[in-house]
Amino acid sequence: MAVLPVLTVVGVIVLIWYAGAYLMNRSITLDTAERRGVEMSASEVFADTMAQERPRLPAPHQVAVELWNTTAGEEMFRERRGEMRPNPRSLFFHAYQTLAPTLLGFVIGSLAGLLLAIGIVHNRAMDLSVMPWAIASQTIPILAVAPIVIVVLNAVGLTGVVPKSLISAYLSFFPVVVGMVKGLRSPGAMDLDLLRTYSASRAETLFKLRLPASVPFLFASLKVAIAAALVGTIVAELPTGARFGLGARLLTGSYYGQTIQIWSALFMAAICAACLVALLGLIERATLRRMGLSA
Amino acid sequence: MMRRVGLGAGLGVLVVVILAALDWRLAAMVGVWLGAWLLNVALSRSGASGARLLVPLIFGLTLLTLWEMAVRLYGISPVILPAPSAIAAAFAANTDILWADFVQTILKGALVGYVIGCGAAVLAALAIDRSVFLQKGMLPVGNFIAALPIVGTAPIFVMWFGFGPASKAAVVVAMVFFPMLVNAVQGLKASDQMQRDLMHTYAASYWQSLLKLRLPTALPFLFNGLKICTTLALIGAIVAEFFGSPTVGMGFRIKIEVGRLAMDVVWAEITVAALAGSGFYGLMALLEKQLTFWHPSQRKA
């Protein structure tokens, strides 16, 4: 089984993390002890490094406790001024603030990418003019300039979900274009010739041969796209002073030195990314099985 | 075929004429677009040898022209979207600042982190490669971590390593390590059992078979990782500067100039980032071409 090696590796990472937490937080502990003029035994120092309020590196269990407290320990909605409002202390609320634009952008970007890929495969002029730019755009660190787009869109009057989801859409767009062009071109000359002998039209070839053949490529690029979309939304929240969302949690955490908050936001983002990719993986397996392709 | 192109042109002229009655500015832009597009269609149909280079070039120039036209004709405020000509002017006027930012962010931050991160990942892959158990455990974990929003660690590294380029390099190391590791581990497994057996019959030592068989067969995978990591490195270095930096650097400049509404300088900085990203990627692609000329993916059709 593959479980044991994976567990071992994860275990080693956690151990290294604990060791790192001890080494990085020790100086803080010793400084406080010296200022107070207290002698601390080795075990006391160790215990203190594991339970600081603002450690340089929080121990894994501290992050886990914070994650639990801000999700299961907080109500998602609470009453304020007579109405039920989302509770900004719940991490689920922040995750939702990030996930909504991510998913919206992902859907928009993937659909646009799919359409463009179909156009590229059917039109040589489009292929020659758009494809090189689509590939070149992958090499540009567009994510780093995402915040500017948000600022500009805010200046135009677009606020809320739309600007963030535009970034996500842009980031999920290109993996889908590149992957689907490859997928739609994956049927061999034999298959295409067979459809020609049936005198199939281009639309029939597209729907009965090219699209089904491209499904494995589609899912591979969708997985890349959704991870990129999530990162896009998080980065888009950074320098715009967004108050809600996982990116905003990272930023406020870094302003106020709340390291545990940073790490818990980071883990929430990681959990979201893992869940989204896993969900796509499940859909992929179910689809491929129904299509008779072994996954 | 020519008839269909003619039909398209006729339809296009009709659309432009109708639009001209409604809004001449829009008509002018649609006209430019259609003209360039028809030229591209004709070029790509002709099968001329230069078409492969010319068509994307015309497409890119058309987009730039339309951008410039939109900004000028509709009087879009430079605070929202500066024209390409204004960006070029800002680029020319600020070359010293842009160069200083480039050195700070790309050379001191991204490049240092890229070399350390990719180097460490290859060394780790060599270590993991000797144990099947570690490989089985490391590949899923590495794939998992490679899909996570690692760039979020930026505030932590800025806290640990300060505002200077060291924290930027650290973020880059964290970002490139796992994608590179996964590719390197897969690459080291790429040689056939037959080939390895052959090395065995030659009584080749571990190092000999590593240097003469397994590293060369791993090169396509290594370059795949190296190419993915170029973009990641730039993103990491720039995003980390949003969390704190000395008063120089591309992320710093972007953040500051957005606040001062000098969008032309921001766009000039974005141009530098785009050029650096494509140049870096192109360099890796060129190296790949030189070193893996034997691989099927490099053969010319």
Side-chain angles (χ1 to χ4, degrees), chain A residues 94-95 97-98 164 230-231 233-239 242-254 261 265-266 269, chain B residues 152 155 243:
Chain A
H94 292 283
Q97 291 286 333
T98 301
K164 287 199 245 171
L230 182 65
V231 179
T233 326
I234 292 175
V235 173
E237 287 169 349
L238 290 182
R243 283 159 61 216
F244 308 123
L246 294 174
R249 290 284 279 192
L250 285 177
L251 198 66
T252 50
S254 96
Q261 181 187 322
L266 209 55
Chain B
F243 286 97

Side-chain angles (χ1 to χ4, degrees), chain A residues 8 56 124 133 139 144 148 274, chain B residues 44 56 133 144 160 242 254 281:
Chain A
T8 316
R56 272 162 74 82
R124 192 168 151 71
W133 292 105
T139 68
I148 315 335
Chain B
S44 56
F133 184 80
F144 174 73
W160 285 354
F242 293 147
I254 288 173
Y281 186 95

Side-chain angles (χ1 to χ4, degrees), chain B residues 220-231:
Chain B
F221 290 85
L222 290 180
F223 273 109
N224 189 30
L226 284 174
K227 284 196 290 191
I228 294 172
C229 290
T230 55
T231 323

Side-chain angles (χ1 to χ4, degrees), chain A residues 184-185 187-197 205 209-210:
Chain A
L184 291 171
R185 290 211 171 119
M190 290 265 273
D191 301 323
L192 289 170
D193 282 346
L194 180 67
L195 281 189
R196 200 163 302 140
T197 62
T205 314
L209 175 63
R210 287 192 191 273

Side-chain angles (χ1 to χ4, degrees), chain B residues 26 32 41-42 48 59 90 110 142 163 176 211 217 226 234-235 256 275 291:
Chain B
L26 193 60
V32 168
V41 169
F59 183 74
F163 284 179
V176 302
L211 283 178
T217 47
L226 284 174
L234 261 56
I235 291 171
I256 292 299
L275 288 177
L291 291 174

Side-chain angles (χ1 to χ4, degrees), chain B residues 135-268:
Chain B
Q135 273 180 35
K136 272 191 185 155
M138 207 66 207
L139 263 185
V141 174
N143 267 321
F144 174 73
I145 296 180
L148 299 182
I150 303 281
V151 69
T153 55
I156 296 164
F157 284 117
V158 171
M159 224 175 261
W160 285 354
F161 298 106
F163 284 179
S167 58
K168 300 353 176 236
V171 175
V172 174
V173 169
M175 279 184 82
V176 302
F177 183 79
F178 282 100
M180 190 66 210
L181 179 73
V182 170
N183 274 293
V185 170
Q186 271 171 345
L188 287 172
K189 288 199 297 194
S191 54
D192 295 347
Q193 191 59 48
M194 288 274 269
Q195 296 169 326
R196 275 184 245 179
D197 284 347
L198 181 67
M199 294 305 275
H200 201 66
T201 60
Y202 292 159
S205 69
Y206 169 80
W207 290 106
Q208 281 173 324
S209 90
L210 184 71
L211 283 178
K212 298 200 167 145
L213 168 67
R214 302 186 52 220
L215 273 183
T217 47
L219 275 180
F221 290 85
L222 290 180
F223 273 109
N224 189 30
L226 284 174
K227 284 196 290 191
I228 294 172
C229 290
T230 55
T231 323
L232 288 178
L234 261 56
I235 291 171
I238 297 175
V239 170
E241 286 184 354
F242 293 147
F243 286 97
S245 66
T247 55
V248 62
M250 298 170 78
F252 166 81
R253 192 76 53 204
I254 288 173
K255 204 170 143 187
I256 292 299
E257 297 296 336
V258 163
R260 292 168 51 189
L261 293 179
M263 292 314 274
D264 48 350
V265 181
V266 174
W267 278 93

